[in-house]
Amino acid sequence: PKQAVLEGSGAAQQFTVRALYSDGTDRDVTKTAHFVSNNDVSAKVTKTGLVTADKRGEAFVMARYDAFTVGAQILAIPKDPSFAFPQVAEHNYIDTLVHTKLKKIRITPSEVTDDATYLRRVTLDITGTMPSPEEVRSFLADKDPKKREKRVDTLLERPEFTELWVMKFAELLQIRTDNNQFQYKSALQYYDWLKDQFARNVPMDKLTQALLTAKGGTFANPAANFYKVETDVLKLSENVAQVFMGMRMQCAQCHNHPFDRWTMNDYYGFAAFFAQVGRKTGEDQRETVVFDRGNGGVRHPVGNRDIPPKFLGADGGKPEPGQDRREVMAKWLASPQNPFFARNLANIVWAHFFGQGIVDPVDDVRISNPPSNPELLEELGKRFTDSNYNFKKLVRDICASRTYQL
């Protein structure tokens, strides 16, 4: 099973590993797979895949066969026949999925906080500022049962909300003036472009695609500065995977990742999308012109062979002759066909409001570092995608939840 709840010390669950081959055959490979638990204190696993609960806690059991790694969540809980989950209000889908997890691990949710605490919390989290005395008095005197949701809507329209998230993404995108690549003018224009995108609530897929396909002069098209930050093809591809999908691919550069699904072929195949990015100095010596060279590739260190571009965890979408490889990559990366994109952004936002990601650290998504609530992360990503990657809608959902108001 993908998840198992083991009640009481000594409770056990046998896991099965099956290999599905490209010719359609299906084989039980449990006896030849390698098993490991990331928390032996709570759940131990034998060489044959039998998991036994010990102390209360959460563990993740992985099975590795050939170049593939899969995993399952183990929830070890004490026996307590008297436990009853209380009747608790659910403001939206977030509360439903959080309560589902709490029921499994037998934890009663806290009470909702008072108005003054909520106002301070939500104002700091959304705008990075404290509420004014006048705002506090007005909010506490307001008898409207929907006042918290309305306050969130008001805060989302404040310029401080834009400035806070531009600051966060400027850090992720490494917009700075303290290296040899960036002059002040380039950094300022790049920052202003990003600020304009957030101020207009441009869908996050469109913003990402504009960055990844940017070309032309960095003064005329500030988004092209994305390719001025890092010029090494391998490091550039690593940055893209880490910022936009939360994956640390570095481990697969020299060998297949020991604790994730990624192989060297995946690593160099993804890097090949960036192998034809060209750069030259513009008429102004401070400006860089980014363009598609139309030739070039990435050599695999094993066999020194040229590797064609390949999506991470997906097939298809090969560039046509003469087509900019980045256009194909960006169209897939920031789309529903790539579930890592929406889940990663949802996880980044969640971590801001709760102090810890559903996957934590947020930029270390791998099979051996699973989400604490996989169903919640999946649903956040799905809702974010269904909203056409509306950033404010995602923040609104989180802040309106009962979970955020505890």
Side-chain angles (χ1 to χ4, degrees):
K2 291 184 178 180
Q3 185 186 77
V5 179
L6 303 182
E7 186 177 13
S9 180
Q13 170 71 54
Q14 176 65 49
F15 280 86
T16 303
V17 186
R18 305 198 70 84
L20 306 178
Y21 292 86
S22 56
D23 63 0
T25 57
D26 179 347
R27 178 183 170 199
D28 187 327
V29 295
T30 306
K31 291 183 178 179
T32 48
H34 175 68
F35 292 92
V36 62
S37 170
N38 72 347
N39 184 5
D40 286 332
V41 173
S42 294
K44 296 181 175 68
V45 61
T46 66
K47 293 181 178 180
T48 57
L50 180 67
V51 177
T52 306
D54 191 357
K55 298 185 183 299
R56 177 176 186 153
E58 190 169 326
F60 196 75
V61 170
M62 290 165 285
R64 186 169 181 83
Y65 180 78
D66 192 40
F68 302 94
T69 303
V70 292
Q73 186 183 43
I74 309 295
L75 304 175
I77 61 173
K79 283 189 176 181
D80 184 5
S82 64
F83 177 82
F85 195 82
Q87 291 291 325
V88 183
E90 294 177 350
H91 295 183
N92 59 21
Y93 65 94
I94 291 173
D95 299 329
T96 302
L97 292 168
V98 168
H99 291 172
T100 298
K101 171 74 181 284
L102 293 179
K103 288 174 187 175
K104 289 178 181 177
I105 58 179
R106 296 180 173 173
I107 289 180
T108 301
S110 304
E111 295 300 322
V112 172
T113 191
D114 60 83
D115 283 343
T117 303
Y118 176 76
L119 178 63
R120 181 177 68 247
R121 176 186 301 172
V122 76
T123 307
L124 278 168
D125 284 350
I126 292 182
T127 69
T129 65
M130 289 285 283
S132 68
E134 293 76 15
E135 289 174 318
V136 174
R137 285 190 285 267
S138 173
F139 189 76
L140 296 182
D142 191 348
K143 302 302 181 184
D144 187 345
K146 297 286 187 181
K147 67 179 181 180
R148 294 193 179 191
E149 292 92 327
K150 292 179 179 178
R151 174 62 56 170
V152 171
D153 289 335
T154 299
L155 293 171
L156 287 174
E157 298 308 316
R158 295 226 329 228
E160 292 91 344
F161 169 75
T162 297
E163 291 165 1
L164 180 66
W165 281 100
V166 172
M167 178 186 70
K168 283 182 169 290
F169 273 84
E171 183 176 0
L172 288 173
L173 298 173
Q174 302 178 56
I175 302 177
R176 60 186 190 273
T177 57
D178 62 350
N179 63 15
N180 295 326
Q181 301 296 329
F182 267 131
Q183 289 80 28
Y184 179 80
K185 182 174 181 178
S186 292
L188 180 60
Q189 288 186 324
Y190 192 7
Y191 178 88
D192 286 344
W193 175 86
L194 190 63
K195 184 177 180 180
D196 175 69
Q197 300 287 297
F198 273 94
R200 294 189 291 112
N201 199 30
V202 172
M204 292 302 294
D205 61 330
K206 303 303 180 189
L207 185 157
T208 302
Q209 289 167 354
L211 275 175
L212 297 179
T213 61
K215 61 180 66 174
T218 51
F219 289 171
N221 181 16
N225 281 291
F226 181 79
Y227 291 99
K228 198 173 180 179
V229 174
E230 183 57 71
T231 57
D232 180 272
V233 172
L234 298 184
K235 285 186 171 58
L236 175 60
S237 67
E238 291 171 3
N239 289 350
V240 171
Q242 192 160 350
V243 171
F244 297 110
M245 293 186 283
M247 300 171 181
R248 298 182 185 181
M249 296 293 295
Q250 294 88 331
C251 217
Q253 181 178 354
C254 303
H255 49 76
N256 294 344
H257 203 304
F259 302 114
D260 209 347
R261 60 189 292 188
W262 308 119
T263 65
M264 290 178 70
N265 288 345
D266 293 320
Y267 178 90
Y268 289 99
F270 187 65
F273 281 113
F274 303 94
Q276 298 182 353
V277 178
R279 303 167 184 82
K280 61 183 180 182
T281 304
E283 292 184 6
D284 187 321
Q285 293 294 311
R286 297 171 299 171
E287 184 178 30
T288 299
V289 178
V290 177
F291 63 98
D292 175 40
R293 290 190 287 111
N295 60 73
V298 170
R299 311 297 295 185
H300 197 297
V302 179
N304 194 34
R305 63 191 189 277
D306 184 68
I307 294 292
K310 183 181 182 298
F311 300 142
L312 290 173
D315 295 321
K318 294 181 180 178
E320 298 291 335
Q323 185 180 15
D324 190 333
R325 292 181 175 186
R326 296 175 301 155
E327 292 179 359
V328 178
M329 181 271 303
K331 184 178 179 181
W332 164 80
L333 186 144
S335 76
Q337 283 68 50
N338 172 26
F340 302 111
F341 175 71
R343 289 201 296 255
N344 174 58
L345 286 175
N347 191 46
I348 289 173
V349 176
W350 182 274
H352 170 75
F353 286 98
F354 287 92
Q356 182 170 324
I358 301 172
V359 174
D360 199 76
V362 296
D363 63 348
D364 193 12
V365 175
R366 52 185 158 84
I367 288 174
S368 52
N369 184 34
S372 58
N373 192 327
E375 297 83 5
L376 174 60
L377 185 58
E378 183 72 26
E379 188 63 19
L380 282 167
K382 180 181 180 299
R383 299 278 182 139
F384 186 40
T385 301
D386 292 345
S387 72
N388 291 322
Y389 304 98
N390 187 323
F391 194 79
K392 288 185 177 180
K393 173 69 166 57
L394 175 61
V395 173
R396 186 180 293 110
D397 285 352
I398 292 173
C399 292
S401 70
R402 184 183 188 276
T403 303
Y404 175 71
Q405 299 178 37
L406 298 182

